[in-house]
């Protein structure tokens, strides 16, 4: 199970000790699986994991929340004992809080950790688009100071996982660079770097004022969310997440000037395309919220431009991009490189196309997805509407429903089946969060990433695929992704033994057979 061919990547990572944050998250698990499966000669992988009263030890949390994940089913199926031994030998779990100075460690322990490492990969983030501003600022921006302290203690290169959407409201062709904010300007130094200190201090003062005014936890939460959106819009971003991630990038680029830094910017990350198994996903991502709303009949339309290109990228292509960036950082130190993992620039998927693939598969084969569609045939049509028309329609429906619901409440009528009003609220909330991403006015390009794959000699290596031209959108979005949602997103967490032996639905089990894998490989290669 653990053998692998030798590449420049394997050579660069052999014997290296890597600290990874955020491995309890979706992308972190895919990255960890990729490193263990394709780089068994790596020196060691250190995972920074927050302690929990739920577990007797930090290792138990790793075993329960990470090692037991279905993302490792392929490795377990080859040799379960060898997989467990590999985790025991190579994976070291470090108890620490990333938002605390020195991760909450003592000086000696912190320095000892730095001395063991060769690189830091930061995948930790708050990906809530409407996070409370103080929380988003802490995890996406300010905690990078703690990572930088570790980097300086051991002279360690940093690979930062960011997002293509740090470009905010900028439009048109977006390349692997830092664009000026689309809103209010940020100060810059003589090197041209954007300086965030003064803006952060202003934001902190506004946060403090909000905390003084709030009269309850609920009110405080709402006020901090609203403040985050207001400030993001002011400076040129759609949401608090992308605004604070951009500031985190600037902090790293200023502090690591002339040192080793790679920034990997994925677009909208969804289920895996090829490995470790097609369609693996955990939880509900950006596009999936709309898919679930359609599958459950909660909304009849959504704001979006049918002809616009939405940028979706499978998680395994993102993990591969991170591994390439890691190898390049070792191979060519003291450089700052930015790579975008994206699809819109080279293999664009139009929103209307993806909608059609979803509707066609749902109406034709809904019985193959009993958990997703709950045995009910979904609607034959799912219209996309301009934002203004959608908002007007929502208001026109909400006003009489609000009045009717208030009247029913006054009369003491609390009918649990009064669900249409909730469906309208669902549509409005989804629109608020996701409409920016479903009506894009930009295309992301990744020429530098593709050139890196050529440089490292893995452009045609499926184990390290990064080129979105591999994606056949009809096969991926209409088959692989929906099957993955059914199989992986709609399950209760299992123990390691349960996860490795869990029965699969007929559709996904067929897809994961050797014959189906060969068919999937053939279809994606035919699309290139």
């Amino acid at each position: 199970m653990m053998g692998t061919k030798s590449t420049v990547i394997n050579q660069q990572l052999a014997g290296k000790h890597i600290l990874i944050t955020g491995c309890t998250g979706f992308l972190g698990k895919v990255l960890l699986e990729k490193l263990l499966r394709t780089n068994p000669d790596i020196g060691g992988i250190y995972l920074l994991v927050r302690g929990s009263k739920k577990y007797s030890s930090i290792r138990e949390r790793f075993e329960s929340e990470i090692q037991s994940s279905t993302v490792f089913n392929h490795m377990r199926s080859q040799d379960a004992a060898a997989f467990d031994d590999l985790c025991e030998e190579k994976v070291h779990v470090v108890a620490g809080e990333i938002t605390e100075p020195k991760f909450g460690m003592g000086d000696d322990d912190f320095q000892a950790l730095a001395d063991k490492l060769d690189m830091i990969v930061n995948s930790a983030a708050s990906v809530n688009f409407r996070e409370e501003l103080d929380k988003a600022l802490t995890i996406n921006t300010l905690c990078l100071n703690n990572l930088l302290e570790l980097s300086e203690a051991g002279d360690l290169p940093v690979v930062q996982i960011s997002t293509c959407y740090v470009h905010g409201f900028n439009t048109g062709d977006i390349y692997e660079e830092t664009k000026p904010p689309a809103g209010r300007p940020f100060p810059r130094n003589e090197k041209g770097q954007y300086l965030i200190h003064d803006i952060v201090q202003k934001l902190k003062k506004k946060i403090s004022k909000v905390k003084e005014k709030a009269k309850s936890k609920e009110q405080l939460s709402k006020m901090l969310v609203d403040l985050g959106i207001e400030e993001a819009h002011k400076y040129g971003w759609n949401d608090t997440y992308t605004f604070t991630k951009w500031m985190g990038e600037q902090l790293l680029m200023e502090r690591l000037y002339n040192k080793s830094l790679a920034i990997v910017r994925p677009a909208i990350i969804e289920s895996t395309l090829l490995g470790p198994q097609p369609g693996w996903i955990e939880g509900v991502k950006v596009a999936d919220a709309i898919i679930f709303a359609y599958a459950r009949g909660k909304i009849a339309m959504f704001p979006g431009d049918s002809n616009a290109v939405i940028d979706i990228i499978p998680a395994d292509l993102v993990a591969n991009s991170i591994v390439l960036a890691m190898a390049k950082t070792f191979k060519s130190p003291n450089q700052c490189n930015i790579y975008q993992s994206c699809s819109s620039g080279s293999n664009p998927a139009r929103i209307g196309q993806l909608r059609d693939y979803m509707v066609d598969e749902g109406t034709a084969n809904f019985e193959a997805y009993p958990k997703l569609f709950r045995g009910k045939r979904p609607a034959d049509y799912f219209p996309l509407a301009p934002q203004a028309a959608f908002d007007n329609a929502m208001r026109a429906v909400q006003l009489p429903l609000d009045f009717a619901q208030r009247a029913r409440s006054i009369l003491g009528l609390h009918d649990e089946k009064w669900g249409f009003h909730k469906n309208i609220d669902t549509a409005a909330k989804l629109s608020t969060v996701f409409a920016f991403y479903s009506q894009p006015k930009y295309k992301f390009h990744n020429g530098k990433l593709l050139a890196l794959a050529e440089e490292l000699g893995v452009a045609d290596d499926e184990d390290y695929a990064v080129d979105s031209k591999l994606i056949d959108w009809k096969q991926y979005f209409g088959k692989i992704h929906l099957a993955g949602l059914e199989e992986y997103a709609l399950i209760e967490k299992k123990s390691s033994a349960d996860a490795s032996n869990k029965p699969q639905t007929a559709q996904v089990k067929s897809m994961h057979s050797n014959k189906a894998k060969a068919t999937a490989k053939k279809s994606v290669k035919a699309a290139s």
Side-chain angles (χ1 to χ4, degrees), residues 60 100 124 151 178 183 188 221 294 310 336 339 351 366 387 431 506:
E60 184 184 351
E100 295 292 331
S151 172
T178 299
R188 304 177 76 169
S221 176
Y294 163 72
I310 188 169
C336 175
Y339 305 106
I351 296 175
F366 67 94
Q387 184 73 53
S431 168

Side-chain angles (χ1 to χ4, degrees), residues 113-181:
L113 175 63
D115 293 340
K116 294 175 184 175
L117 299 174
D118 296 294
M119 173 177 283
I120 302 167
V121 179
N122 181 38
S123 182
S126 168
V127 296
N128 183 351
F129 295 149
R130 296 177 63 81
E131 180 67 272
E132 296 165 24
L133 180 57
D134 56 341
K135 293 180 181 178
L137 191 63
T138 297
I139 189 66
N140 293 335
T141 306
L142 299 179
C143 79
L144 296 180
N145 285 308
N146 303 327
L147 288 173
L148 285 164
E149 187 176 8
L150 183 67
S151 172
E152 291 166 356
D155 193 22
L156 304 173
V158 175
V159 176
Q160 165 76 355
I161 317 306
S162 186
T163 170
C164 283
Y165 298 94
V166 292
H167 295 290
F169 289 140
N170 284 298
T171 60
D173 292 309
I174 306 293
Y175 297 95
E176 292 149 302
E177 60 189 8
T178 299
K179 292 183 72 69

Side-chain angles (χ1 to χ4, degrees), residues 204-351:
K204 285 183 175 180
K205 289 179 181 179
K206 291 184 178 183
I207 290 168
S208 296
K209 289 182 179 179
V210 164
K211 290 182 176 180
E212 291 173 0
K213 293 179 181 178
K215 297 180 180 178
S216 68
K217 288 184 178 179
E218 293 75 15
Q219 185 186 37
L220 175 60
S221 176
K222 183 180 184 305
M223 291 173 70
L224 288 173
V225 168
D226 291 344
L227 177 63
I229 297 298
E230 178 186 342
E231 293 298 315
H233 287 179
K234 180 191 302 181
Y235 288 102
W237 282 268
N238 175 70
D239 46 65
T240 313
Y241 165 61
T242 52
F243 176 40
T244 52
K245 287 295 284 185
W246 182 87
M247 289 194 290
E249 283 193 9
Q250 309 318 306
L251 177 61
L252 289 173
M253 285 190 280
E254 181 192 0
R255 292 274 299 275
L256 293 176
Y257 181 71
N258 279 339
K259 294 185 178 181
S260 300
L261 171 65
I263 297 173
V264 179
R265 296 172 176 163
I268 297 171
I269 308 175
E270 290 289 352
S271 62
T272 55
L273 175 68
L274 296 171
Q277 51 256 357
W280 189 82
I281 193 168
E282 183 179 66
V284 176
K285 311 306 171 193
V286 173
D288 305 331
I290 303 171
I291 293 173
F292 274 93
Y294 163 72
R296 304 292 168 80
K298 288 187 175 296
I299 57 177
M301 66 174 178
F302 197 78
D305 181 352
S306 294
N307 294 316
V309 173
I310 188 169
D311 204 306
I312 290 173
I313 192 74
D316 50 335
L317 271 60
V318 179
N320 294 342
S321 302
I322 297 168
V323 176
L324 264 63
M326 293 166 63
K328 172 63 173 177
T329 304
F330 283 130
K331 180 174 178 285
S332 306
N334 301 322
Q335 294 182 3
C336 175
N337 292 303
I338 298 173
Y339 305 106
Q340 292 182 165
S341 181
C342 52
S343 61
S344 57
S346 58
N347 186 16
R350 301 194 181 279
I351 296 175

